[in-house]
Amino acid sequence: MFSYNTIKKIMFNFEPETAHHMAEYAFKILPKCKFINNAMVKRNFVNHPMLTQELFGVKFYNPIGLGAGFDKNATMVKAMMANGFGYTEIGTMTPKPQAGNAKPRLFRYPQEESIQNAMGFNNLGASVVEENLKEVYPYAIPIGASIGKNKLTSEEDTLNDYKSLIHSFKDLSDYLVVNISSPNTPNLRDLQNEEFIKDMFTMAKEITTKPILLKIAPDMSSQTAIELCKTAVKYGADGIIATNTTQDYSLVPNAKDFGGLSGACMSDKSYELFKAIGQELHDKTILISVGGISDATDVYRRIKAGASLVQILSGFIFKGPSMCKDINEELIELLKADGYSNIKDAIGADFK
Ligand SMILES: Cc1cc2nc3c(=O)[nH]c(=O)nc-3n(C[C@H](O)[C@H](O)[C@H](O)COP(=O)(O)O)c2cc1C
């Protein structure tokens, strides 16, 4: 078998989006090759009592999830378990299919282990994703569904986009995520205001009892983020995911001046904002930390800052299929070294 470093060298010769399509193709057929798939699950999927927890009524065998945006159309759910992920977040989907922004819109910075994207919610639309989910849901690992508005939807109709998506995915996922934090849909981040969040979660809670979380951007003061998160929780949000990609283009030399940066370059930025939110909310709701994570030390500091779960996207591209296993095994050792018998006891330890 090739090492991931060899595969990465080959893949990085292709345009990032082409490489992504190649990976998607491989991950779509992987579950059909039962022998390889099962061997990968056995090798990569860590199912350990110290890492197992039930959150908003859903059982998670390990805390490392795939961040939204990698599997926009829910075609790779099974392969993500084989890659060791404890859960996966599909989407972001929009009600109608859309092509996304003009290409090129995806860039790698290998030296910085970072990515820049301006994809713009390219996806096949709710009805196709629904069909894909019907093939796989419920699955052995939890599936989150990230929902967003269509680019051309007017301001007045925005809430209706989310409403129809909640109806579409409430019975085809373990939790839902309201994405109003992508930098790549014009004016989307403006929805990160108290009035919209109040209307959003009030509406959502009338439709479903399914857990529904809010994902926020990193490019705001911690005070603003805390206030928005508190409003979301007040009106029924079951959790907060922080953060989406950053528009701080100074984090990578020669970055483009559009889209959002992710990966190692944003680790500290995302952590700092997360910790501020954690201080206020870790004992009041479920917090998920995402942004620049790729090793156990970083996961552990997020847990101590209040994270029940984490998510990784860019790190997976740079580290490959053994990443989750490596992190989970080291995380168990870190927990043991501090005398914890379950991950739950370490959540928010910084504030105890
Ligand atoms: C190519 C790409 C596409 C993304 N698409 C989405 C998306 O559709 N919805 C979303 O909520 N986040 C999206 N994200 C953001 C990630 O889920 C994550 O919040 C961010 O990349 C930071 O995590 P990371 O450093 O581990 O990548 C995307 C990120 C990348 C790199």
Side-chain angles (χ1 to χ4, degrees):
M1 288 286 254
F2 293 114
S3 74
Y4 185 65
N5 271 339
T6 310
I7 294 170
K8 193 165 75 174
K9 263 190 202 139
I10 298 166
M11 296 288 268
F12 278 22
N13 283 317
F14 291 89
E15 286 286 309
E17 236 185 296
T18 310
H20 183 75
H21 289 309
M22 289 160 67
E24 183 178 14
Y25 181 74
F27 287 149
K28 268 160 108 168
I29 53 172
L30 175 64
K32 296 188 174 90
C33 312
K34 286 211 166 29
F35 179 74
I36 301 175
N37 188 77
N38 293 349
M40 279 182 74
V41 171
K42 201 163 172 209
R43 186 185 153 84
N44 296 327
F45 188 75
V46 176
N47 167 3
H48 193 283
M50 282 183 73
L51 299 182
T52 301
Q53 47 183 339
E54 195 168 310
L55 304 162
F56 39 67
V58 179
K59 196 162 187 179
F60 293 83
Y61 292 102
N62 75 62
I64 320 293
L66 177 72
F70 189 89
D71 188 8
K72 288 185 187 274
N73 298 307
T75 55
M76 297 181 260
V77 169
K78 290 184 178 174
M80 289 310 129
M81 185 177 179
N83 279 288
F85 285 101
Y87 68 108
T88 184
E89 197 166 292
I90 56 113
T92 299
M93 310 65 87
T94 51
K96 293 181 197 146
Q98 63 180 32
N101 294 324
K103 295 178 186 172
R105 55 192 180 177
L106 186 58
F107 311 90
R108 299 182 196 99
Y109 302 103
Q111 216 143 1
E112 288 80 14
E113 296 208 348
S114 296
I115 302 276
Q116 189 161 10
N117 95 84
M119 305 301 286
F121 293 167
N122 55 308
N123 76 106
L124 298 174
S127 44
V128 173
V129 183
E130 271 181 71
E131 291 311 308
N132 290 344
L133 278 174
K134 279 178 193 160
E135 306 250 310
V136 66
Y137 180 79
Y139 193 54
I141 55 169
I143 303 172
S146 173
I147 56 174
K149 72 179 276 285
N150 275 114
K151 182 179 177 180
L152 296 179
T153 299
S154 67
E155 209 182 313
E156 307 83 72
D157 286 332
T158 293
L159 202 61
N160 278 334
D161 269 15
Y162 287 92
K163 193 175 183 177
S164 80
L165 290 161
I166 292 168
H167 278 291
S168 297
F169 295 106
K170 67 182 172 47
D171 299 323
L172 288 170
S173 61
D174 294 290
Y175 68 90
L176 296 153
V177 185
V178 173
N179 181 2
I180 47 174
S181 51
S182 165
N184 301 318
T185 296
N187 307 323
L188 188 79
R189 284 186 170 187
D190 296 345
L191 301 175
Q192 297 181 125
N193 68 71
E194 300 206 2
E195 202 185 325
F196 184 80
I197 289 172
K198 176 182 163 207
D199 292 348
M200 175 74 229
F201 284 95
T202 307
M203 173 271 287
K205 287 286 139 179
E206 280 166 10
I207 298 174
T208 181
T209 53
K210 188 97 338 163
I212 179 153
L213 288 73
L214 175 69
K215 182 167 177 179
I216 63 159
D219 305 311
M220 62 179 99
S221 72
S222 49
Q223 210 39 51
T224 305
I226 289 165
E227 289 311 316
L228 293 178
C229 294
K230 278 186 173 170
T231 302
V233 173
K234 182 174 168 190
Y235 289 98
D238 296 276
I240 303 293
I241 304 182
T243 65
N244 213 311
T245 56
T246 179
Q247 286 179 301
D248 181 351
Y249 306 127
S250 70
L251 292 174
V252 169
N254 303 318
K256 314 279 175 211
D257 60 358
F258 57 91
L261 283 165
S262 58
C265 72
M266 74 172 306
S267 176
D268 287 342
K269 185 182 176 83
S270 148
Y271 167 72
E272 294 302 336
L273 187 70
F274 181 81
K275 188 169 181 178
I277 297 166
Q279 180 140 31
E280 292 286 326
L281 287 170
H282 76 278
D283 52 357
K284 298 183 183 68
T285 192
I286 301 300
L287 299 177
I288 302 181
S289 190
V290 49
I293 299 173
S294 70
D295 62 35
T297 314
D298 203 358
V299 171
Y300 197 38
R301 74 169 170 163
R302 312 285 176 131
I303 291 169
K304 288 193 283 190
S308 293
L309 301 167
V310 300
Q311 295 181 342
I312 300 176
L313 195 165
S314 304
F316 179 51
I317 293 166
F318 293 104
K319 296 223 161 143
S322 65
M323 179 192 71
C324 292
K325 170 192 155 72
D326 292 345
I327 292 178
N328 281 316
E329 287 182 349
E330 203 183 323
L331 187 56
I332 291 168
E333 295 311 314
L334 290 168
L335 289 165
K336 277 186 190 161
D338 282 348
Y340 296 116
S341 54
N342 184 276
I343 182 175
K344 265 204 164 319
D345 305 325
I347 296 165
D350 285 349
F351 315 119
K352 285 171 188 158

